[in-house]
Structures are given as structure tokens and as C-alpha cells.
Amino acid sequence: MSLLLRNRGALAILMLNIFIIFTGIGLIIPIMPSYMNLLHINGSLLGLLVAAFSITQLLFSAIAGRLSDSIGRKKIILAGMLLFALSEWMFGAVSSIPLLFLARMLGGVSAALVMPAVMAYTADITSDEERGKGMGFINAAITTGFIIGPGIGGYLAEFGVRVPFYVAAVGGLLAMTVTALFLPQVSKTGHTKDMNATDNQAQSGLLRQLASSFHAPYFISLIVVFIASFGLANFETVFGLFVDHKFGFTPKDIAFIITFGSISGAIVQVTIFGWIINRFGEKKVITVSLFISALFIFLAVFANTFWLIVAVTFVLFLSIDILRPAIGTQMSKFADNQQGYVAGLNSAFTSLGNIVGPLIAGVLFDFNISYPYLVAAIILIFGFLISFKSKEVPYNQY
């Protein structure tokens, strides 16, 4: 019997934890306009709150990885889920700005603890041949959480704007309890220790890696990663506020639009994405996706009906959901035997975009509700232009 099959119960628990985390992240999107009105928060402050999560997650990721090696994956997952439940409860219960920031920062720490521990645990319980399949299950849980999170948030808000946060907190505690009772403690193999030691060396020299990446053949791809994450974070941060101010959409309306677009993108990823890449190649897919993303973010400014907004966001989510894996595929082919190193750089540039995008979007929104989208469109057009300078992947690296 394969390792993955023998450990399917443990994998299911890992998926539950990561699903709860990313559902909690997603459910905040449709209810933020109502929540901001309740607490009298402006766009600039919202941008800071969103960025606080990403900054804390980025800063604590390296520390969390080392902790999972030294004291064990299960303990770190339990600590992360407890912090997640606390952060969700706090964000729903408190009203002061400093405590809201503390809640978001605790959420960032919880994600930083759970993510690397879950990934490392998955590597521990799978063979080399099964690892890709195991990681695929974890990523499926992440994607599913992102997809249904906004929908859950929008519908729970019908019972009260704070209710979604309390439900997420209860979900986190339930997942923590299941993990404590049923997730076995794994013993690390020599291979895992060596792999993690290499990862820790890479994490400790992150700034040096960012500087040295300037000369790498995939540097343009890294810039495109930053631009794409900046554009998407910019769009998502103020989307709820944009349609709330412009059309008076309810949390349920916002949830429907985001969920519909996300599901469509996920379907494309698991059905025809491979065919698209094989037919047109990474560079062409990336270039076209960037142009379409820029165009439809720009068109969102002029959309004036519910169904027009649905159509615009549908195409936008579709293009972004094709763009991100296309960039990842291109970079993995350039990486050759440096897969972990390049994946770390990809994650770092994504995090930087997730930090800068919300900060700029929030400030611009306070000047004019259309400015964040206009700036995002310009940035994505810049990405479209520089993507022509990226190198084609040599055929001998396929």
C-alpha cells in the first residue's frame, strides 16, 4: 500500500485545516463595506488592514518553518489554528482600530504557522512519486476555501455583519480539536531534515536572493509575478467598496459575483489549462492574460449594471486564474534543479504585491473610487509590455 493511501486520514485533516484558514481569509471580502460603515473605517485604513496580514505572514514564514522542524508539525498546526480562531473572533468582536490591527496581524501569524507546517507534513507522509499528488490535494483545499469563502461570508452577513467572523472562529476551534485528537505526530526522516535545512538556508538569505535574482533568466517573470499579484490585490481590496459606493450592492450581491468568477476560473484550471499552455506556450498565454486583465479592470470603471459587473469580473477572474499558473509553469521550467529556490522567490514577489497593492488601493480609493482600478490597469499594461522581453523556455527543459 502506498504511503499516501496509508496516510489518507492525516491528509484529510491537513486539508481541513488549510481549507478553514483560506475560507476565513475569503469571507471578509463581501462584508467589508458594511463592516467599514459600522466602524467608520476609510479606504486607506482598509488597505493597511489588508496589508498588515500579508506583512506579518511574510515576516513570520521563515520562523514558522524552523519551528515546525524543531518542535514538530502538529504542535505548530495546533498553535496556528488557535491563533486563527482568536484573530477571527477579535476582528468580529472589537471596535477599536489598534485591536483590529492586532487581530489581522494574529491572522497573518496563524497563516504563517499553518502553511509551511501543513506542506512539510504532507512531504513527510508521501513518497517522492506521490508528493505532487499530495500537494495537489492541499492546493485544492486552498482553492476551494478561496472560492466558497466570499459566498459564505455574504450569506452569513444576512444574520449580522459580525456573524461570519464568529462562525470562522468556531470552525477554527473545531479543526484544531479534530487535529489534536486524530492527527498523528510524524517523525522526520533524514531526507526531510536535509530538505528543510536547505529551505532554511534559502529563507535566511531572502534579501540576498532578491538582489541576485536580477541576473536570473526568470527575473522578468518575477516582475510579472509582482505586477499580477499587485493588480489582483488592488482589485479585490476595494471591489466590495467600489460596488457598494457605486451601485449599493449588498454583501450577498458581492459574494455572488466573486464566487461565480472564482468557480469559473477553477474549472478552467482543472480542465483546459494544460491544453492552453501546450497549444500556445507560456509566454504567449502570460502576455495575452496580462492585456485582458488590464482591459477588464479598466472596463470595470465604466460598468453601470449588475450583470455588466458580473460579466467584467468573470473575464477578469478567468484571465488571472490562467495567468498565475502560467507564470508558475514558466518559472518552474527555468528553475531546473533549483525548484525550491525559485518557488521561494515566486512566493516572496507574490507577497510583496499583496502588501503594496492594498496599501495603494486604499489610499487612492479615498481620493476617487475609480482611481485604484485605473492605476491597476496601467500597472498591468506595463506588465504586458515587459512580458515581451521575457525569455522563451528552452525546449530541452520540458
Side-chain angles (χ1 to χ4, degrees):
M1 184 183 294
S2 70
L3 275 175
L4 183 61
L5 192 58
R6 285 206 308 267
N7 293 290
R8 60 185 181 275
L11 185 63
I13 295 173
L14 297 177
M15 291 173 66
L16 172 65
N17 282 283
I18 214 73
F19 168 77
I20 293 292
I21 288 281
F22 281 91
T23 300
I25 293 172
L27 65 78
I28 192 175
I29 297 172
I31 61 179
M32 276 313 293
S34 301
Y35 205 62
M36 286 175 63
N37 292 333
L38 179 67
L39 301 179
H40 308 292
I41 298 173
N42 60 18
S44 299
L45 195 57
L46 173 65
L48 286 169
L49 282 169
V50 174
F53 182 99
S54 299
I55 292 171
T56 313
Q57 183 180 9
L58 179 63
L59 292 176
F60 276 83
S61 289
I63 300 171
R66 287 192 287 271
L67 285 174
S68 76
D69 291 338
S70 60
I71 68 175
R73 323 293 191 209
K74 181 175 179 177
K75 292 178 181 177
I76 294 300
I77 294 171
L78 290 173
M81 295 309 296
L82 180 61
L83 282 179
F84 169 79
L86 177 61
S87 70
E88 291 292 324
W89 174 81
M90 277 188 66
F91 204 84
V94 304
S95 298
S96 72
I97 301 304
L99 289 177
L100 286 174
F101 272 99
L102 177 60
R104 290 300 289 167
M105 292 168 71
L106 286 175
V109 175
S110 73
L113 290 173
V114 173
M115 277 294 294
V118 165
M119 294 297 184
Y121 195 115
T122 303
D124 292 339
I125 62 172
T126 54
S127 63
D128 290 343
E129 295 77 15
E130 296 171 326
R131 193 151 299 143
K133 187 176 181 180
M135 294 299 180
F137 281 118
I138 297 299
N139 281 299
I142 292 172
T143 301
T144 305
F146 267 135
I147 288 173
I148 73 169
I152 292 174
Y155 285 101
L156 287 176
E158 297 288 308
F159 301 97
V161 73
R162 297 178 186 267
V163 170
F165 299 105
Y166 298 145
V167 172
V170 171
L173 290 176
L174 289 175
M176 184 186 74
T177 303
V178 170
T179 302
L181 293 175
F182 301 109
L183 185 68
Q185 181 67 270
V186 292
S187 58
K188 300 185 289 296
T189 64
H191 168 76
T192 304
K193 288 180 180 177
D194 292 341
M195 180 180 66
N196 288 325
T198 302
D199 288 345
N200 288 333
Q201 290 173 0
Q203 289 167 340
S204 64
L206 180 59
L207 291 178
R208 193 178 300 114
Q209 292 174 36
L210 293 176
S212 65
S213 67
F214 181 79
H215 303 289
Y218 45 77
F219 177 71
I220 296 296
S221 295
L222 288 172
I223 297 300
V224 173
V225 167
F226 171 79
I227 288 173
S229 62
F230 173 96
L232 183 60
N234 187 301
F235 173 79
E236 288 186 335
T237 298
V238 299
F239 176 75
L241 306 181
F242 179 79
V243 295
D244 173 71
H245 282 59
K246 192 169 183 178
F247 306 111
F249 284 1
T250 66
K252 188 180 289 188
D253 294 329
I254 299 169
F256 170 78
I257 293 171
I258 294 175
T259 305
F260 176 68
S262 299
I263 290 174
S264 303
I267 290 172
V268 168
Q269 283 183 344
V270 300
T271 54
I272 63 171
F273 173 74
W275 176 85
I276 292 172
I277 287 294
N278 292 332
R279 175 67 177 82
F280 300 103
E282 289 86 0
K283 182 175 180 177
K284 188 175 292 185
V285 171
I286 291 168
T287 302
V288 172
S289 296
L290 281 166
F291 179 78
I292 293 174
S293 299
L295 175 62
F296 277 82
I297 284 182
F298 178 74
L299 291 177
V301 175
F302 303 98
N304 54 15
T305 67
F306 177 83
W307 288 109
L308 196 54
I309 280 287
V310 171
V312 166
T313 53
F314 168 77
V315 177
L316 178 59
F317 273 96
L318 207 57
S319 62
I320 291 291
D321 285 333
I322 292 173
L323 173 64
R324 286 186 293 190
I327 296 173
T329 303
Q330 183 188 61
M331 291 182 62
S332 71
K333 290 178 179 178
F334 275 124
D336 198 14
N337 62 347
Q338 293 183 306
Q339 295 293 333
Y341 174 80
V342 174
L345 285 173
N346 190 342
S347 177
F349 275 78
T350 299
S351 295
L352 291 173
N354 289 338
I355 292 167
V356 178
L359 289 174
I360 293 178
V363 172
L364 291 174
F365 185 86
D366 287 338
F367 285 100
N368 186 291
I369 64 173
S370 299
Y371 284 177
Y373 287 2
L374 295 176
V375 169
I378 291 170
I379 294 295
L380 287 169
I381 282 294
F382 176 69
F384 162 73
L385 294 174
I386 68 169
S387 69
F388 286 101
K389 294 186 175 293
S390 65
K391 297 181 180 180
E392 293 282 3
V393 181
Y395 280 103
N396 61 7
Q397 288 188 246
Y398 278 78

